[in-house]
Amino acid sequence: MTLPLSALDFHVLVALADEDLYGYALMKAVDEQSGGVVTPEIGSLYRVLARLTAEGLVEDAPTPADAESPHPGRPRRYYRLTDRGRGVARDETARLQRAVSVARAANLTPGREP
């Protein structure tokens, strides 16, 4: 995977950094952590998850023993960040931090007058 990541890709990786999540919980986590800026539709989220899985950044995770199932006999599918995915997320974080440093040096910080 090459950088930069899309906002949705980045937020998915960040949301999975601390815990395994199933699709709807992941969708809500992305919306919350982005302050409502990134609000994926469930269909587009699953397409992103399929691509990130194919690229080795995300993988299926076991369903927690205490997880509730929305449908009898059909457990939720959980996802987790792979080591490779964690590395890509770190690289993207570093890239974004450098971009913010450049903006600050150019006096482009919000609320600052030139």
Side-chain angles (χ1 to χ4, degrees), residues 6-110:
S6 73
L8 180 54
D9 288 0
F10 179 69
H11 281 286
V12 166
L13 297 180
V14 171
L16 292 172
D18 289 333
E19 65 181 317
D20 301 345
L21 295 170
Y22 59 93
Y24 183 71
L26 182 55
M27 183 180 74
K28 288 177 24 182
V30 166
D31 181 58
E32 185 177 309
Q33 80 184 12
S34 72
V37 173
V38 180
T39 55
E41 296 293 326
I42 198 70
S44 61
L45 176 65
Y46 280 113
R47 284 188 295 278
V48 165
L49 285 167
R51 185 174 42 74
L52 294 175
T53 299
E55 293 175 2
L57 306 180
V58 171
E59 64 187 4
D60 287 348
T63 301
D66 62 345
E68 295 179 24
S69 178
H71 307 287
R74 188 171 170 212
R76 289 180 168 133
R77 184 175 178 187
Y78 281 76
Y79 299 89
R80 79 166 126 215
L81 196 59
T82 64
D83 290 341
R84 182 168 184 249
R86 189 171 302 279
V88 168
R90 284 184 180 138
D91 291 347
E92 179 67 353
T93 299
R95 187 192 70 78
L96 291 169
Q97 287 173 330
R98 287 189 302 274
V100 168
S101 293
V102 168
R104 284 187 178 139
N107 290 320
L108 293 175
T109 304

